[in-house]
Amino acid sequence: MINSFDLKNLSLLEEIHFGQDFDCDFIYEDGGLDWGNVPATHNTYNYPNQVGDSISSSKINNRDITITAYSFYILSEDEKIEVGRENWYKYCYEKIKEKNEILNRVINPLNYVRLTIGDYYIEGKPSATPKYGTTVSDNNLYFCKFMISIFCANPMFKKITQTTSLLSGDLGAFFFPLFIPSYGKIMGVRNNYLMLEVDNEGNAEIGGIITITAKGEVVNPVIENFNTGEQFRIYYTMQQGDIITINTSDGGEKGIWGTINGITSSFIKYMSFSASTWLKFKAGRTILVYSTDNQSEEELDIKVELNPQKYGLEDM
């Protein structure tokens, strides 16, 4: 069961905290948190005399989240003395209105919001402004009940921290304070791999960010998914310091860019459309291999960053 979560307006960068104790900004009631589910649409076909249907494709649809909670305020002992007993209720009511004002700013249907639960988050837009209670039992001097709904076009929970795999690179081998023994000291280690496992900790297939950095002349680098044989091939001769970044995630993030002499621009023209696939990473481990046309693999640093996604969290 999820006991608390944070909700942040990504435009205003204003954040509120939901929980089930009085230390939070808003309390959500038992059963007042519905994360929804992830419905799928399956397209089918059949032929004469076929028993049942065959599935031609599947589409994961969006998710709706609803939260029913309470706005409240509890006076501290100092406030009780300062305000005076006769003004307690009025004071609390003014504080509740201040909380609702913050809630109205954060829950804006024009702004994206992010719900953070432990190590994961999900983003969407409010379907409407907060709906407040209309009866005295739900909206009074002591508390105000409200409901908010959030439409998540992407229904996946994403991990806050990205998983990074270094396919080749230099590892530092000294630290300060530095002590050099009589037999010497290794200052750095160069690791080169033609093959490495990349771990997707989520339960859904995702894209990733592949960063290629040249340490010398590199001709036409190729990244290949050893599991599937799919490749991403670039026809370009890289020089020392050149960086090529490939984002294979779906949506507006997808693309390929090159940073040459500190200037970043689109590198889509150097991508081999006939021989390239926007590489994806299935749940679990994927083996990647890389090569070049001039056998310059040792001149490459290759980094893969994944943002694992889940259909649902274990605490739900």
Side-chain angles (χ1 to χ4, degrees):
M1 179 178 177
I2 293 175
N3 295 318
S4 65
F5 62 92
D6 296 316
L7 196 156
K8 183 177 184 179
N9 185 304
L10 297 181
S11 296
L12 302 177
L13 301 181
E14 196 164 5
E15 189 171 32
I16 52 180
H17 181 66
F18 288 79
Q20 293 188 306
D21 55 54
F22 294 120
D23 293 332
C24 59
D25 298 321
F26 302 95
I27 291 181
Y28 63 89
E29 62 180 11
D30 186 26
L33 183 57
D34 184 357
W35 294 106
N37 57 10
V38 186
T41 300
H42 301 295
N43 297 312
T44 63
Y45 68 91
N46 55 33
Y47 51 85
N49 301 322
Q50 178 178 347
V51 177
D53 294 321
S54 299
I55 297 178
S56 59
S57 63
S58 299
K59 177 182 179 298
I60 300 297
N61 296 311
N62 45 59
R63 177 199 299 266
D64 289 302
I65 296 174
T66 58
I67 303 167
T68 302
Y70 294 87
S71 178
F72 68 97
Y73 190 81
I74 298 178
L75 280 77
S76 66
E77 293 301 320
D78 290 340
E79 285 177 318
K80 289 180 180 179
I81 297 174
E82 181 181 348
V83 173
R85 186 179 184 89
E86 68 279 3
N87 295 318
W88 284 0
Y89 299 129
K90 181 180 178 181
Y91 183 83
C92 286
Y93 182 62
E94 293 300 321
K95 290 295 185 180
I96 290 173
K97 289 199 297 182
E98 291 177 10
K99 280 192 171 186
N100 290 347
E101 184 179 358
I102 296 173
L103 182 66
N104 288 336
R105 288 200 304 268
V106 173
I107 307 302
N108 184 335
L110 297 179
N111 299 151
Y112 279 97
V113 295
R114 172 180 292 184
L115 288 88
T116 302
I117 313 99
D119 295 332
Y120 285 81
Y121 70 90
I122 187 170
E123 294 179 348
K125 278 190 172 184
S127 301
T129 56
K131 182 179 180 181
Y132 295 101
T134 57
T135 62
V136 175
S137 60
D138 287 337
N139 192 344
N140 48 59
L141 294 174
Y142 310 100
F143 60 82
C144 176
K145 186 176 182 179
F146 64 88
M147 186 184 75
I148 58 178
S149 57
I150 299 172
F151 172 77
C152 302
N154 183 338
M156 307 301 294
F157 290 91
K158 300 180 180 180
K159 196 168 186 180
I160 295 173
T161 56
Q162 291 188 329
T163 302
T164 302
S165 299
L166 190 64
L167 297 191
S168 63
D170 299 312
L171 299 179
F174 70 97
F175 304 92
F176 292 102
L178 179 63
F179 172 74
I180 302 179
S182 59
Y183 52 83
K185 175 71 175 178
I186 296 175
M187 295 298 181
V189 178
R190 176 73 184 179
N191 283 338
N192 291 300
Y193 307 95
L194 292 180
M195 180 180 296
L196 190 79
E197 290 182 339
V198 178
D199 190 17
N200 176 6
E201 302 172 9
N203 53 26
E205 183 180 71
I206 57 174
I209 299 176
I210 303 171
T211 304
I212 305 171
T213 303
K215 300 296 184 181
E217 185 176 89
V218 176
V219 179
N220 303 338
V222 180
I223 309 295
E224 180 178 343
N225 184 327
F226 184 78
N227 304 63
T228 63
E230 296 174 321
Q231 297 182 349
F232 197 98
R233 181 179 292 272
I234 303 166
Y235 288 115
Y236 183 81
T237 299
M238 303 177 68
Q239 303 299 326
Q240 183 178 2
D242 292 350
I243 301 174
I244 296 177
T245 303
I246 307 163
N247 192 331
T248 67
S249 302
D250 292 330
E253 301 173 347
K254 180 182 291 185
I256 173 172
W257 298 270
T259 303
I260 312 299
N261 297 323
I263 300 175
T264 300
S265 59
S266 174
F267 252 46
I268 195 71
K269 63 182 178 182
Y270 298 113
M271 168 186 170
S272 172
F273 288 93
S274 60
S276 294
T277 300
W278 296 98
L279 301 177
K280 299 293 185 182
F281 302 89
K282 293 183 179 296
R285 295 180 177 178
T286 298
I287 298 176
L288 290 184
V289 297
Y290 64 97
S291 61
T292 66
D293 283 356
N294 63 335
Q295 288 76 51
S296 56
E297 289 80 13
E298 73 281 357
E299 300 293 343
L300 285 178
D301 276 350
I302 302 179
K303 182 174 68 174
V304 179
E305 297 173 273
L306 301 183
N307 191 189
Q309 300 181 15
K310 291 185 176 182
Y311 292 107
L313 302 181
E314 291 77 9
D315 293 334
M316 288 181 173

